[in-house]
């Protein structure tokens, strides 16, 4: 009985600790080098526009589709807003080479799209994103390079539930600029 109680208590502590690892709003978003689809080092475009960073495990790439579609429909001003996809290469079975081919094709179809690769979870570690496996971690960074919002999204239902607040925040941040 003691063993079960201690195990449950330890699991609760670990789950709670994991929940607190996600980057805190107000914290400066520190930029690091990531890779583009051709293997060139590139930084996130922070500090010039409101930036939505979609840190995505390819195994869960569709969970954020409702929000992506809402953003496209809203036609957020490109001079004040940018969305950036960052592929979490470490938590997937998909080979990096296959993902790079797919991204190069997407870049041809959608010129101006920014998709970067995090091959060793460097961004997840630097920004304290916690468990990114089977999730898209959405981080919204203001023009002041401070985190305004951060949430790990694991299902389309969870995405739809958060969409109203996210879109409102984006419009407020864009309006400040």
């Amino acid at each position: 009985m003691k063993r079960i109680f201690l195990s449950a208590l330890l699991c609760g502590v670990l789950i709670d600790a994991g929940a607190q690892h996600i980057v805190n709003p107000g914290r400066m978003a520190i930029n690091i080098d990531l890779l583009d689809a051709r293997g060139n080092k590139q930084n996130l475009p922070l500090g010039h526009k409101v930036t939505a960073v979609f840190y995505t495990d390819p195994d869960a790439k569709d969970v954020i589709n409702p929000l992506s579609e809402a953003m496209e429909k809203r036609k957020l001003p490109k001079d004040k807003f940018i969305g950036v996809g960052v592929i979490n290469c470490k938590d997937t079975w998909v080979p990096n080479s296959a993902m790079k081919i797919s991204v190069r094709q997407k870049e041809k179809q959608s010129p101006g799209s920014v998709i970067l690769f995090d091959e060793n979870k460097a961004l997840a570690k630097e920004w304290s994103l916690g468990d990114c496996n089977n999730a898209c971690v959405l981080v919204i960074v203001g023009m002041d390079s401070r985190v305004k919002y951060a949430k790990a999204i694991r299902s389309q239902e969870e995405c739809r539930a958060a969409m109203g607040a996210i879109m409102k925040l984006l419009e407020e941040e864009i309006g400040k600029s």
Side-chain angles (χ1 to χ4, degrees), residues 22-81:
I22 200 155
V23 65
N24 295 324
R27 178 178 165 192
M28 289 295 286
I30 297 166
N31 219 334
I32 63 167
D33 287 332
L34 297 171
L35 299 175
D36 66 14
R38 285 148 201 79
N40 301 315
K41 286 184 181 180
Q42 189 171 335
N43 277 323
L44 292 168
L46 301 177
H48 306 290
K49 300 177 182 184
V50 175
T51 306
V53 178
F54 299 89
Y55 190 84
T56 306
D57 176 348
D59 302 327
K61 67 182 180 353
D62 296 335
V63 300
I64 204 73
N65 283 355
L67 179 61
S68 297
E69 291 165 8
M71 288 177 170
E72 285 178 26
K73 205 179 233 185
R74 192 73 54 102
K75 296 191 189 280
L76 299 169
K78 293 182 188 240
D79 62 325
K80 296 181 178 185
F81 172 78

Side-chain angles (χ1 to χ4, degrees), residues 143-159:
M143 288 183 58
D144 60 357
S145 294
R146 293 197 176 275
V147 174
K148 307 299 179 179
Y149 179 92
K151 181 172 177 59
I153 298 173
R154 299 187 183 281
S155 70
Q156 287 191 357
E157 293 77 25
E158 191 176 346
C159 180

Side-chain angles (χ1 to χ4, degrees), residues 80-108:
K80 296 181 178 185
F81 172 78
I82 188 166
V84 178
V86 178
I87 298 173
N88 170 6
C89 300
K90 197 75 169 172
D91 285 332
T92 186
W93 60 270
V94 180
N96 291 357
S97 57
M99 288 187 290
K100 288 179 182 178
I101 290 168
S102 176
V103 166
R104 285 193 292 261
Q105 290 171 344
K106 182 170 177 112
E107 288 173 339
K108 285 180 185 177

